[in-house]
Amino acid sequence: MDCWKQEESNTWTFPTLILCLYGFFSMLKPSEPFVTPYLTGPDKNLTTDEVTNQVFPVWTYSYLALLLPVFLVTDYVRYKPILLLQGISFIVTWLLLLFARGVVAMQIVEFFYGMVTATEVAYYAYIYSVVSTDHYQRVTSYCRSITLVAATTGAVLGQLLVSLADVSYFHLNAITLASVSLAFLCSFFLPVPQKSMFFHRKEISEALPGTDKTVATVSSDRPLSCQEDKSSPSADMGPAPEQQAGDAKPQNHVLGVLVQLSKDLRDCYSSRKLLYWSLWWALATAGFNQVLNYIQVLWDFRAPSHSSAVYNGAVEAIATFLSSVTSFIVQYMKINWDLFGELALGIFSTIDAVSLLLMHFTTNIWACYAGYLIFKACYMLLITIATFQIAVNLSMERYALVFGFNNFIALVIQTILTVVIVDSRGLALDIVIQFLIYGSYFAVISGIFLIRSICAFVSSKC
């Protein structure tokens, strides 16, 4: 009996190992910091305008179109098929990058990369389905850490190969293809989960374990609208959709789950605190993704890759490291975020705005690099705080739901920015003017939360 218990307790180690290997190889992409120089160089011979206004916008549209269907299908098919799909999408993306030419071919590349990013949800959701709550926090830290290590390693490797060994961008992409192919092979060894968060739950309510810095199931100061024992059918008010389905048809079961998900969303967003943090999340993430999508174009404009040394890999490695540090130190900040949270959102969003405006006004590539490092570090600090503030009083299922919906709203906002500002069918503004708009956008975000924090302070004194 003791041997059986020991074996049962160790069942999380194998899928965790395989998942970490998958995460490492899928994020080890030495060519990624050099996508724009590769596309505008002799290998693909595209113009900067074609890359900016016709190719890169497709990723945003693809990601938006695929996010919600993939989010639901991922849970329904229990994760592993979506990880396999992500692996295939990785391979197709880099095969096309290596051997296809022309604007249309690169737009197809962006479509498949949109599939890659839309299916990322399966990577972390898979953990929940195969690991007990006793190990969830530990395994999550492993999987997040390994992706950061891989991203940093890939960026450093790419920079060293370009700067010291004079390796071509084509061969960097070949190395990336080999890495993502290994990730695809690793995904075959993942066991198929027996449960999922929404459609195949075996336990009605299972919360994310942890200390006071992680998600708790019930808290005394939890908003009534998000207390599962009062508003959620997963408590004593009635059977969950899975129980109600019983012998019902599968489509009725699916419909019941979807109805319950919509009710959960309504309940959670009735919490004013969660609503404000989610508002910042959606607005800031839209701007952040937009900056990340076009930052290489700005760098290439300030220091053309055909006539200047390119240090994109080094900058991305430093940015990833700084982001990891800022995210890590959040747990040691003894701050009442309920009281000072909106003020922090306003202040650091102001720093983001200044960083982006610096990148607009300066002509110095090193100032652009510095502005990007500050921008990314501040965003990662705030998104870590926002994640904690949103998750702290939600069950794992509700957190996943809010996370997915916030990202969807962010993508809708990003799509509007892309259509109006970037797309060749819109204003098709040049890259320097775009960053003036992105800086102004973050200035508006900072204004919203600074005004709110001032109003809250004044009302507390009255």
Side-chain angles (χ1 to χ4, degrees), residues 212-226:
D212 57 347
K213 295 183 178 63
T214 56
V215 179
T217 310
V218 178
S219 174
S220 59
D221 61 349
R222 184 173 180 171
L224 180 62
S225 59
C226 273

Side-chain angles (χ1 to χ4, degrees), residues 284-363:
T285 299
F288 177 77
N289 287 340
Q290 195 75 352
V291 169
L292 256 61
N293 207 22
Y294 297 98
I295 187 63
Q296 288 187 32
V297 179
L298 180 68
W299 290 342
D300 202 65
F301 178 82
R302 296 300 188 201
S305 54
H306 64 270
S307 60
S308 306
V310 178
Y311 297 102
N312 296 6
V315 174
E316 287 292 355
I318 296 171
T320 303
F321 175 76
L322 289 178
S323 300
S324 304
V325 171
T326 55
S327 299
F328 180 76
I329 63 175
V330 168
Q331 61 184 308
Y332 297 106
M333 292 181 176
K334 305 301 181 183
I335 297 174
N336 184 345
W337 295 112
D338 290 339
L339 185 60
F340 297 107
E342 291 183 9
L343 180 61
L345 293 177
I347 292 173
F348 284 101
S349 295
T350 300
I351 297 174
D352 278 340
V354 171
S355 300
L356 293 171
L357 292 174
L358 170 66
M359 287 187 264
H360 164 75
F361 287 108
T362 187
T363 57

Side-chain angles (χ1 to χ4, degrees), residues 74-368:
T74 296
D75 191 88
Y76 189 77
V77 300
R78 288 178 290 192
Y79 314 118
K80 181 175 178 177
I82 303 302
L83 287 171
L84 292 170
L85 175 62
Q86 185 184 48
I88 294 171
S89 300
F90 267 127
I91 292 172
V92 172
T93 296
W94 262 271
L95 281 174
L96 289 172
L97 265 178
L98 283 169
F99 302 113
R101 295 178 68 89
V103 172
V104 174
M106 295 304 102
Q107 288 175 331
I108 296 173
V109 166
E110 292 297 313
F111 170 80
F112 278 101
Y113 200 68
M115 178 73 77
V116 167
T117 48
T119 51
E120 281 180 354
V121 63
Y123 178 71
Y124 293 109
Y126 180 90
I127 304 168
Y128 178 77
S129 64
V130 296
V131 175
S132 69
T133 54
D134 295 335
H135 301 293
Y136 185 82
Q137 185 179 358
R138 183 178 176 186
V139 173
T140 300
S141 67
Y142 290 159
C143 292
R144 289 190 183 276
S145 299
I146 201 69
T147 56
L148 291 172
V149 169
T152 305
T153 303
V156 170
L157 177 63
Q159 187 64 62
L160 292 176
L161 291 175
V162 168
S163 299
L164 302 181
D166 200 26
V167 172
S168 68
Y169 298 137
F170 178 88
H171 289 104
L172 284 186
N173 280 289
I175 295 171
T176 300
L177 175 61
S179 181
V180 297
S181 298
L182 286 173
F184 178 60
L185 292 177
C186 289
S187 65
F188 280 100
F189 295 95
L190 290 169
V192 178
Q194 299 303 309
K195 66 175 183 176
S196 66
M197 278 189 280
F198 304 118
F199 291 100
H200 305 285
R201 281 188 287 181
K202 289 194 172 182
E203 297 177 25
I204 301 306
S205 179
E206 186 175 0
L208 180 66
T211 64
D212 57 347
K213 295 183 178 63
T214 56
V215 179
T217 310
V218 178
S219 174
S220 59
D221 61 349
R222 184 173 180 171
L224 180 62
S225 59
C226 273
Q227 286 184 0
E228 291 176 357
D229 59 337
K230 297 196 181 281
S231 66
S232 174
S234 60
D236 295 333
M237 290 185 63
E242 292 78 5
Q243 293 174 307
Q244 292 173 339
D247 299 325
K249 295 180 179 180
Q251 56 266 35
N252 293 337
H253 167 67
V254 172
L255 181 61
V257 172
L258 293 177
V259 169
Q260 185 56 47
L261 292 181
S262 66
K263 290 180 179 178
D264 283 349
L265 271 179
R266 182 193 62 197
D267 289 343
C268 288
Y269 285 112
S270 64
S271 164
R272 181 174 293 184
K273 171 188 169 183
L274 187 146
L275 183 61
Y276 290 143
W277 283 99
S278 294
L279 175 63
W280 178 88
W281 180 319
L283 290 172
T285 299
F288 177 77
N289 287 340
Q290 195 75 352
V291 169
L292 256 61
N293 207 22
Y294 297 98
I295 187 63
Q296 288 187 32
V297 179
L298 180 68
W299 290 342
D300 202 65
F301 178 82
R302 296 300 188 201
S305 54
H306 64 270
S307 60
S308 306
V310 178
Y311 297 102
N312 296 6
V315 174
E316 287 292 355
I318 296 171
T320 303
F321 175 76
L322 289 178
S323 300
S324 304
V325 171
T326 55
S327 299
F328 180 76
I329 63 175
V330 168
Q331 61 184 308
Y332 297 106
M333 292 181 176
K334 305 301 181 183
I335 297 174
N336 184 345
W337 295 112
D338 290 339
L339 185 60
F340 297 107
E342 291 183 9
L343 180 61
L345 293 177
I347 292 173
F348 284 101
S349 295
T350 300
I351 297 174
D352 278 340
V354 171
S355 300
L356 293 171
L357 292 174
L358 170 66
M359 287 187 264
H360 164 75
F361 287 108
T362 187
T363 57
N364 186 290
I365 185 62
W366 296 105
C368 280

